């Protein structure tokens, strides 16, 4: 099942919860925190993500897992959902693009699980690189070209370096689009997001590149 098909099923309940909500892009909001992983020799080995979903998506995703109980969901209860979600993300290369000149390919994700806190699901998963790479400059972007999902970086420490060589620094670049542009997109006709439409690649406006520079 593709990512949008899965999200469509989960969002059916969310649309019922949000009576009168307009069905315009984006449909899902994710706050992203990531860790860039290094080996002892200074090579980059992969990424570890923690993506927190909006409350409507989270409510629809857990609906029916345990009747009407409001107790916290355990990692074990959420394991099937985490597996389904990670498998769906694969169809879109996990919306994650790590570059050292060219894009670096990822191996299969590992250590994936959901946790649930304060009405929000957070998906944790690790993307190992197929081949570790030594590089003084790395560029990370997380985005959905179609803007079906609005990825926003966490306000504090959106990317942490784990095991990095001494002296490495993290830089955030500005996106082209702003909050006013987001509002315009939300008010746009759904037809403009279809292939050939004016907004088919509007997600590119909201990319916030993260750059890592090492000595």
């Amino acid at each position: 099942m593709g990512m949008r098909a899965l999200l469509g099923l989960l969002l059916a309940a969310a649309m019922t919860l949000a009576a009168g909500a307009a069905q315009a892009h984006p449909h899902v909001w994710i706050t992203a925190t990531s860790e860039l992983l290094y080996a002892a020799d200074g090579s980059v080995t992969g990424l570890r993500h923690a993506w927190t979903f909006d409350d409507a998506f989270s409510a629809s995703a857990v609906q029916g897992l345990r009747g009407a109980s409001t107790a916290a969901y355990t990692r074990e209860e959420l394991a099937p959902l985490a597996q389904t979600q990670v498998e769906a993300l694969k169809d879109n290369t996990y919306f994650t693009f790590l570059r050292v000149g060219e894009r670096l390919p990822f191996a299969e994700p590992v250590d994936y699980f959901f946790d649930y806190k304060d009405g929000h699901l957070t998906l944790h998963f690790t993307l190992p690189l197929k081949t570790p790479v030594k590089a003084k400059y790395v560029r990370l972007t997380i985005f959905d070209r179609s803007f079906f999902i609005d990825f926003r970086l966490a306000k504090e420490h959106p990317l942490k370096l784990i095991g990095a060589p001494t002296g490495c620094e993290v830089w955030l670049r500005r996106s082209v689009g702003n909050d006013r542009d987001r509002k315009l997109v939300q008010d746009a006709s759904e037809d403009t997001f279809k292939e050939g439409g004016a907004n088919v690649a509007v997600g590119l406006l909201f990319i916030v590149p993260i750059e890592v520079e090492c000595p």
Side-chain angles (χ1 to χ4, degrees):
M1 179 182 293
M3 182 64 175
R4 284 163 184 75
L6 172 66
L7 291 173
L9 290 173
L10 294 177
L11 280 163
M15 291 302 178
T16 301
L17 292 173
Q23 295 191 27
H25 282 50
H27 291 276
V28 180
W29 290 260
I30 291 176
T31 301
T33 301
S34 304
E35 296 176 336
L36 189 62
L37 309 177
Y38 287 82
D41 66 354
S43 59
V44 178
T45 62
L47 278 166
R48 184 184 298 128
H49 285 315
W51 290 356
T52 300
F53 289 79
D54 64 86
D55 52 359
F57 177 90
S58 298
S60 60
V62 300
Q63 192 173 52
L65 283 184
R66 194 203 295 143
S69 174
T70 57
Y73 295 93
T74 66
R75 187 180 299 187
E76 290 71 24
E77 286 177 300
L78 297 170
L81 180 62
Q83 180 175 350
T84 300
Q85 191 72 77
V86 167
E87 289 174 352
L89 287 168
K90 183 177 181 179
D91 294 341
N92 293 278
T93 62
Y94 309 99
F95 299 107
T96 301
F97 306 89
L98 190 65
R99 296 180 180 274
V100 176
E102 59 184 11
R103 196 171 87 186
L104 302 175
F106 295 111
E108 293 294 315
V110 297
D111 301 332
Y112 49 84
F113 63 93
F114 265 124
D115 62 30
Y116 186 82
K117 183 179 180 182
D118 299 329
H120 291 268
L121 281 169
T122 298
L123 179 64
H124 303 262
F125 64 107
T126 299
L127 292 173
L129 288 176
K130 285 188 175 180
T131 304
V133 60
K134 284 189 175 182
K136 292 186 176 181
Y137 174 83
V138 179
R139 186 176 191 266
L140 170 65
T141 51
I142 304 168
F143 66 94
D144 177 10
R145 180 176 178 272
S146 72
F147 209 52
F148 189 95
I149 305 171
D150 182 357
F151 285 96
R152 297 203 188 198
L153 301 181
K155 290 183 179 179
E156 293 187 11
H157 309 297
L159 181 67
K160 297 178 181 179
L161 307 182
I162 306 299
T166 302
C168 293
E169 295 187 80
V170 177
W171 305 91
L172 268 67
R173 303 305 180 190
R174 286 179 174 270
S175 64
V176 175
N178 54 33
D179 286 340
R180 181 171 177 240
D181 296 322
R182 276 184 161 91
K183 181 63 169 60
L184 291 173
V185 170
Q186 290 168 10
D187 293 339
S189 164
E190 193 72 17
D191 287 340
T192 65
F193 296 94
K194 295 178 180 178
E195 201 62 42
N199 288 321
V200 67
V202 72
L204 299 178
L205 289 176
F206 303 105
I207 297 174
V208 179
I210 306 178
E211 299 171 358
V212 178
E213 296 182 23
C214 295

